Amino acid sequence: MSSRHYLTELDITTEESRELLSSARRLKRERGKTDASRSALTGKHVALYFEKPSVRTRTSFTVAVQELGGHVIELSSGSTKVGKGEHEEDFAKVVGRYVHALVARVFEQGKLEGMARTAGIPVVNALSDDRHPCQALADAQTILEHKGRIEGIKFTFVGEGNNVAASTGLLLAALGAEVKVASPKGMSVKQDILAAAEGLEGSLVALEDPLEAAHDADVLYTDTWVSMGAESGAEAQRKALSAYRIDDAMLKLAPKAIVMHCLPAVRGEEITKEIMYGPQSAIWDQAENRLHAQKALLQWLLSGA
Ligand code: CP
Ligand code: NVA
């Protein structure tokens, strides 16, 4: 039987996403209280492979696997020869003989596709330059908790339209949200993301004006101005994005909005500290939900539950 993978948020159907979200919410309520979830991954091993830094993804996956009764093996790119001689497809083929799932954070999305071709086990995207589908699941869970629904909500992302904007935007559009991504020229969501949004239950549009996009939003979301691996262009990024900060002036345009950020944040750049810690912030619940959403995902991929 061929394995299911989670390389993009659209690798699973909208119905399956809804089921995962309901399972994530149940797992959150029942954390530590039921034997069923404590043994879902008994006897299973999960490898985590990181080519870029991580706090939330690394910690939440490790705790998720362990709380479900499984074991984690962590591999960083510094401790392997992947990309420095060994091809990622060969690496994944071997790792797939030992463990039951491979969770990988890489630069190129294509590397994940190569791993998925050879691994023979489920491969999960723990962030690439183009996508961050595990973040998207936790984001959807957070919006459900705070707003009670996703269908019809006005979701606005301000900032660079790369991995997080693409994955969270597409998953929410699949679940019926009206998504706007406001970015400076040249930093907009890519054409393939806009094309993928066509035909989804909701919508995803790209625009330039951050204040127009923020007006009356139910959710205001931002991401770091300088993504991992893009540090050499940091100054140009900061300059281009200076009007995209979530600050009091922007928040006034969306008085009922919750504010979200995938973290890590640079306080005072893309968002102010006061808003991160303010009454409209859902940021800390959002970070916590990585744990619950990934538990639901792992359980579904590895035990079909
Ligand atoms: N949001 C997120 O993926 O955080 P890390 O980079 O710390 O894993
Ligand atoms: N766009 C950010 C997301 C971090 C979770 C990055 O790629 O660094």
Side-chain angles (χ1 to χ4, degrees):
M1 202 179 73
S2 66
S3 300
R4 294 288 308 262
H5 304 290
Y6 190 61
L7 307 188
T8 84
E9 56 300 317
L10 299 184
D11 286 350
I12 60 177
T13 66
T14 304
E15 210 31 58
E16 287 167 337
S17 302
R18 290 201 171 100
E19 282 164 24
L20 281 187
L21 290 169
S22 119
S23 156
R25 297 184 76 187
R26 182 179 47 73
L27 285 160
K28 184 171 186 174
R29 282 193 304 274
E30 294 176 358
R31 187 177 183 193
K33 291 186 195 145
T34 66
D35 288 340
S37 61
R38 262 183 240 139
S39 56
L41 297 190
T42 299
K44 304 261 161 101
H45 300 269
V46 176
L48 307 183
Y49 170 74
F50 290 94
E51 286 184 353
K52 303 187 189 195
S54 169
V55 168
R56 281 140 287 269
T57 306
R58 172 181 278 121
T59 313
S60 56
F61 263 111
T62 303
V63 175
V65 172
Q66 289 177 351
E67 287 192 356
L68 293 173
H71 299 273
V72 171
I73 296 146
E74 198 183 314
L75 301 158
S76 65
S77 57
S79 65
T80 73
K81 290 188 184 161
V82 184
K84 292 166 283 190
E86 184 165 36
H87 197 283
E88 63 271 9
E89 291 179 6
D90 302 341
F91 159 80
K93 192 167 177 65
V94 171
V95 169
R97 299 285 178 108
Y98 304 135
V99 306
H100 302 89
L102 171 61
V103 175
R105 170 169 287 194
V106 299
F107 286 87
E108 296 148 42
Q109 181 77 12
K111 263 195 184 178
L112 293 166
E113 287 156 16
M115 289 178 181
R117 271 195 296 276
T118 58
I121 53 168
V123 176
V124 174
N125 181 353
L127 178 145
S128 72
D129 289 347
D130 297 330
R131 297 294 238 268
H132 199 0
C134 294
Q135 182 70 53
L137 270 183
D139 294 345
Q141 183 183 349
T142 309
I143 294 169
L144 276 175
E145 282 173 7
H146 282 261
K147 292 286 178 187
R149 70 194 166 100
I150 290 177
E151 272 163 322
I153 64 146
K154 293 182 192 148
F155 175 92
T156 292
F157 180 99
V158 286
E160 184 174 6
N162 63 359
N163 43 19
V164 170
S167 283
T168 295
L170 280 176
L171 179 62
L172 295 177
L175 294 166
E178 290 170 33
V179 177
K180 290 179 184 160
V181 181
S183 321
K185 272 201 180 68
M187 284 191 208
S188 168
V189 272
K190 290 187 187 148
Q191 203 50 47
D192 64 317
I193 303 299
L194 295 172
E198 281 170 24
L200 296 178
E201 212 173 297
S203 56
L204 190 160
V205 295
L207 63 171
E208 212 181 310
D209 185 340
L211 300 183
E212 181 195 335
H215 183 75
D216 210 22
D218 297 306
V219 182
L220 260 186
Y221 194 123
T222 192
D223 184 7
T224 182
W225 285 351
V226 185
S227 283
M228 292 178 274
E231 290 79 6
S232 63
E235 270 325 298
Q237 292 279 114
R238 289 193 181 101
K239 209 167 150 210
L241 285 157
S242 62
Y244 290 75
R245 174 178 301 117
I246 300 187
D247 57 11
D248 289 343
M250 189 183 284
L251 200 53
K252 268 208 185 96
L253 299 172
K256 284 186 251 137
I258 55 165
V259 175
M260 298 179 69
H261 191 309
C262 53
L263 303 177
V266 181
R267 293 173 173 190
E269 282 200 2
E270 71 274 10
I271 189 167
T272 64
K273 178 188 165 194
E274 290 69 28
I275 291 175
M276 291 177 73
Y277 281 85
Q280 287 170 262
S281 172
I283 291 172
W284 314 108
D285 292 337
Q286 181 187 359
E288 177 187 332
N289 286 337
R290 296 291 305 277
L291 170 67
H292 311 298
Q294 288 157 196
K295 269 189 185 171
L297 177 68
L298 287 167
Q299 221 174 314
W300 180 73
L301 286 171
L302 288 175
S303 66

